[in-house]
Amino acid sequence: MVTPLIELGDVRKSYGGAGEPPVNVLRGVSLSIGAGEFVAIVGASGSGKSTLMHILGCLDRPSSGRYRFAGQDVTSFNADELAWLRREAFGFVFQGYNLIATESARENVEVPAIYSGMGPQARRARATELLSRLGLGERLDHRPNQLSGGQQQRVSIGRALMNGGHILLADEPTGALDSTSGAEVMALLGELSDAGHTIILITHDRQVAAKARRIIEIRDGQIVSDSPDAHDAKHEGERARAGVLDTKTLLASMSEGASHTASVFADVNEALRAAWRVVWNNRFRTLLTLLGIIIGVASVIVMLAIGRGTEREVIAKMASFGTNRMYVTPGGDNARGPGGTLDVADVERVAHVPNVAVAMPFLSGQVTLRAGNADIRTSLWAVSPEASRVLNWKPVRGVFFDAGDERDLAAVALIGKRVREKLFGAADPVGKHVLVNNVPFLVIGELEEKGATSGDADDDDVMLVPYSTGSRRVLGTTHLSWISVLIDQLDLAADTAQQIGATLERAHHVRDFQIYNRAASVKAQSETQDMLTLMLGLIAGISLVVGGIGVMNIMLMTVKERTREIGIRIATGARQRDILRQFLTEATLVSGIGGALGVLIGVLIGAVLIAANVPTIFSVRAILGAFACALFTGLIFGFMPARKAARLDPVVALSSE
Ligand code: ADP
Ligand code: MG
């Protein structure tokens, strides 16, 4: 006894239930079909033929009953094996052709080979050859709507043959065709049968059925007649015919073929190509939906760039004041509190506090300068030799005084540019003498121009002398104006300020001084800036989420519009993961395009801002990050629609629209 290719035993199919009265469409169908047979299943419309074909082609499962394929129970096959059967063993030809409208004839024929992992060149060659053989060599690049019904049906036969098409399942293949085209298609099926293909033809037309070698009649979901004589007589003969596939060979190739997949790269490449076409076909709609992502990405990039630019500028401004600087001034913070004083001993105390780099006495007063016949009033600053570093002020001519001058009460001075102009004009002041409140001083240097003026005071209208000389020989006081402090580590500023306070309070037994912590205020400023940047980024992030919802929306729309296409793809052998991959790729591509456009627009806006002198600093990390966020958004929001597509029931999908 030979194992039949297909064997149904008491197959039943009913719809409904769960509240509705069940419709019994198939009511106990038993039949067996051998390899190489040409069987017609005839019956009136509504008798259950299509339902039977869907079950035979593994697009649908029976409600009950047995289905053995090459002796194997089909219920024992996993999803991949069923997909393999649809892909490699079966080839479907539908009444309505079921071609993918957006693809050309050749591409439609290629579809099953994509899912079997055939390379693009081989695929293209085989599709071209098949279509030429079917008389469509001139129509390779035509879309389905550019072809006649007969031509479309031949394309769909080509598609059914693409992966071998050992078993052709044709559901009313001539139903939509005129008689001539119908006859052509029937002749083609006859040739294919002669070449060894097993053909199961479904029709309501007895004349069409008569072309088959065996006729099974179905009525109200039951087989009412078969032509067993033809069946028995020819069965053995059919098998012996050349080209007829042996069931054992088929099963063997399934066990290795089901798990076979093309390389991930080829798959992704294929999915990208298909996705690009869909995106391009719907470019206007896609672009509109992408606005959210585009705006999101562009604003993230621009806002972060402006945020960084402004922050850098603020910090730079602060640094020019000296960010690591503090001042200790005499007098408590209460006007009626103790009016204390600070002196050099306090400077020593402050200098010994950890993290203090320099503590400098600062004593200022108004003095009269006289040189030659010039006579001016100016500010005198009595400072230590560290002043150059503390004030960030260097001589342009001559030198700064040093520790020796400080120790020896040397009468040496540096003058600002304004003082030099008033006293000496354009001449070099170094080596000249100046009377400071009638005490003669030697000018040893001229300070570089600060240029900054604050109110009436001009920073360049000043004379610097060693603290010891200034306090004792000119101003006659040791009560400091303030102590300038430089610290090492900026982030310890608050701590250091507190320790300075504690040290001085211990010495004075009272808090008769104040500490101005500029470092801390700079830090606070930069933190405010960070906060602002974060807020801006957050706003931009929200528009990314809105963009993501747009992507989800467009993907749901696409899935809905292309339900039939998904059905076709499943019928031609796509696995769930193929469909999932395709729609995920599409979502990612869409959002990737949005991200790229966003980056482009963001950079363009930034370039305009830079040209307009707005402080803007691009960061590659922010740009890449925003782009990655866009991709990720697409992936996340595209997943639900893609899964929905992958889980579609092929029969429902095929009958949609
Ligand atoms: P045929 O192809 O022979 O014309 P079908 O197999 O398409 O018949 O349908 C047989 C019967 O099953 C019809 O009466 C139809 O209404 C019913 N039917 C088909 N699909 C469904 C379904 N999804 N839900 C309910 N009834 C269905
Ligand atoms: Mg039908």
Side-chain angles (χ1 to χ4, degrees):
M1 179 65 200
V2 191
T3 317
L5 184 60
I6 284 172
E7 197 179 13
L8 297 185
D10 197 29
V11 162
R12 290 167 191 274
K13 179 75 183 180
S14 54
Y15 292 103
E20 299 167 43
V23 186
N24 296 312
V25 178
L26 294 182
R27 300 187 298 164
V29 172
S30 303
L31 59 81
S32 101
I33 297 169
E37 281 198 71
F38 187 174
V39 189
I41 299 176
V42 274
S45 173
S47 54
K49 305 182 298 292
S50 294
T51 307
L52 179 59
M53 190 197 86
H54 291 146
I55 289 173
L56 286 173
C58 299
L59 287 174
D60 207 353
R61 290 178 184 273
S63 305
S64 70
R66 283 185 322 280
Y67 178 5
R68 287 178 173 279
F69 183 86
Q72 302 284 309
D73 189 352
V74 168
T75 50
S76 72
F77 290 171
N78 64 29
D80 280 357
E81 286 170 327
L82 289 176
W84 183 89
L85 275 182
R86 291 195 290 264
R87 195 163 69 228
E88 310 282 340
F90 296 114
F92 294 94
V93 178
F94 299 95
Q95 175 173 4
Y97 326 126
N98 275 340
L99 298 175
I100 298 171
T102 51
E103 307 214 332
S104 70
R106 199 191 54 229
E107 287 164 337
N108 265 289
V109 173
E110 284 183 37
V111 170
I114 293 176
Y115 297 121
S116 65
M118 194 189 275
Q121 259 100 45
R123 215 160 66 203
R124 188 175 247 258
R126 176 160 170 80
T128 307
E129 186 220 300
L130 272 174
L131 283 171
S132 305
R133 224 199 300 156
L134 292 165
L136 292 168
E138 309 286 298
R139 298 279 189 278
L140 295 176
D141 295 318
H142 285 54
R143 296 265 188 85
N145 62 3
Q146 296 167 315
L147 296 171
S148 74
Q151 289 169 331
Q152 289 188 61
Q153 195 59 294
R154 274 182 280 157
V155 172
S156 87
I157 291 173
R159 178 178 65 192
L161 295 174
M162 187 67 191
N163 285 346
H166 302 299
I167 306 155
L168 285 184
L169 295 168
D171 188 355
E172 307 271 11
T174 60
L177 300 179
D178 60 85
S179 53
T180 324
S181 307
E184 275 172 19
V185 166
M186 284 313 298
L188 197 56
L189 290 181
E191 282 170 33
L192 290 171
S193 168
D194 291 341
H197 295 267
T198 307
I199 293 176
I200 301 174
L201 167 71
I202 282 169
T203 180
H204 66 277
D205 186 337
R206 285 185 176 279
Q207 274 180 316
V208 171
K211 302 279 194 305
R213 299 206 184 86
R214 174 183 169 195
I215 299 174
I216 297 172
E217 193 177 345
I218 183 169
R219 190 179 300 157
D220 293 333
Q222 281 177 312
I223 291 178
V224 290
S225 80
D226 194 341
S227 44
D229 47 323
H231 172 54
D232 281 350
K234 284 188 182 160
H235 191 56
E236 295 304 309
E238 308 272 7
R239 263 185 33 74
R241 228 171 51 217
V244 173
L245 192 79
D246 180 61
T247 51
K248 291 225 165 48
T249 322
L250 198 63
L251 273 185
S253 54
M254 177 174 83
S255 61
E256 69 182 59
S259 56
H260 165 84
T261 45
S263 77
V264 172
F265 174 75
D267 281 345
V268 168
N269 198 26
E270 204 54 61
L272 261 181
R273 194 193 59 86
W276 171 251
R277 172 184 308 235
V278 174
V279 170
W280 183 248
N281 284 341
N282 300 306
R283 51 192 175 274
F284 190 64
R285 176 175 95 180
T286 309
L287 202 68
L288 279 182
T289 320
L290 279 179
L291 276 181
I293 287 204
I294 296 175
I295 293 174
V297 169
S299 50
V300 165
I301 291 174
V302 171
M303 285 175 174
L304 289 183
I306 293 180
R308 277 169 60 101
T310 325
E311 180 171 7
R312 176 88 44 106
E313 191 158 84
V314 167
I315 287 179
K317 222 171 242 170
M318 287 295 169
S320 75
F321 299 143
T323 49
N324 52 347
R325 188 175 305 177
M326 288 181 202
Y327 300 94
V328 185
T329 60
D333 50 6
N334 186 337
R336 279 179 279 166
T341 56
L342 293 170
D343 56 27
V344 190
D346 292 316
V347 177
E348 278 307 304
R349 291 187 186 105
V350 173
H352 284 103
V353 171
N355 195 37
V356 168
V358 181
M360 181 187 83
F362 190 101
L363 177 55
S364 78
Q366 288 295 310
V367 290
T368 308
L369 301 186
R370 191 173 304 140
N373 50 11
D375 194 347
I376 60 168
R377 293 282 294 169
T378 191
S379 305
L380 181 83
W381 293 1
V383 290
S384 67
E386 285 98 5
S388 180
R389 181 174 160 206
V390 174
L391 301 172
N392 191 21
W393 210 2
K394 284 170 204 54
V396 276
R397 288 178 182 148
V399 292
F400 222 88
F401 46 79
D402 58 22
D405 299 322
E406 172 76 39
R407 196 177 50 238
D408 301 342
L409 272 71
V412 291
L414 285 102
I415 55 175
K417 185 184 176 205
R418 205 74 58 233
V419 175
R420 187 258 296 157
E421 284 170 352
K422 289 180 193 167
L423 293 182
F424 305 107
D428 184 351
V430 176
K432 302 228 162 86
H433 282 86
V434 179
L435 286 179
V436 182
N437 287 359
N438 290 322
V439 180
F441 271 74
L442 174 68
V443 177
I444 58 168
E446 177 186 338
L447 294 158
E448 67 188 356
E449 183 175 8
K450 280 234 158 160
T453 51
S454 46
D456 296 334
D458 183 344
D459 269 354
D460 292 314
D461 194 358
V462 70
M463 170 180 263
L464 266 57
V465 298
Y467 168 73
S468 53
T469 326
S471 67
R472 294 203 213 161
R473 296 180 60 176
V474 182
L475 299 172
T477 172
T478 54
H479 291 173
L480 298 177
S481 304
W482 63 72
I483 303 173
S484 286
V485 183
L486 283 189
I487 59 167
D488 280 325
Q489 276 170 284
L490 201 57
D491 38 331
L492 298 179
D495 241 18
T496 310
Q498 212 208 323
Q499 286 183 48
I500 291 173
T503 307
L504 291 181
E505 202 170 334
R506 222 177 301 126
H508 293 197
H509 306 296
V510 61
R511 201 176 177 89
D512 56 354
F513 57 88
Q514 287 186 65
I515 299 173
Y516 292 94
N517 181 359
R518 187 165 250 173
S521 73
V522 168
K523 204 170 153 204
Q525 184 118 8
S526 100
E527 271 164 10
T528 316
Q529 195 67 42
D530 282 349
M531 198 60 198
L532 203 71
T533 308
L534 191 75
M535 289 296 296
L536 294 175
L538 216 67
I539 292 169
I542 289 170
S543 58
L544 263 186
V545 172
V546 173
I549 294 169
V551 169
M552 177 143 84
N553 181 36
I554 204 167
M555 290 314 295
L556 283 174
M557 221 144 76
T558 304
V559 170
K560 201 176 172 87
E561 284 168 359
R562 286 155 68 202
T563 302
R564 194 186 184 83
E565 180 191 321
I566 295 165
I568 295 168
R569 290 183 182 277
I570 296 175
T572 53
R575 290 153 300 188
Q576 280 202 347
R577 62 171 174 274
D578 292 318
I579 303 287
L580 187 73
R581 180 191 299 121
Q582 185 182 341
F583 283 89
L584 271 186
T585 308
E586 218 170 292
T588 315
L589 180 73
V590 163
S591 51
I593 291 173
L597 285 177
V599 167
L600 193 74
I601 292 175
V603 170
L604 280 180
I605 293 177
V608 170
L609 289 177
I610 288 175
N613 271 329
V614 177
T616 311
I617 297 172
F618 284 119
S619 112
V620 174
R621 242 183 42 210
I623 291 177
L624 290 183
F627 183 75
C629 274
L631 273 192
F632 196 62
T633 308
L635 211 60
I636 295 283
F637 285 92
F639 184 74
M640 196 266 272
R643 201 183 50 175
K644 189 175 160 177
R647 289 187 176 175
L648 280 175
D649 176 342
V651 174
V652 175
L654 277 172
S655 61
S656 79
E657 279 170 308

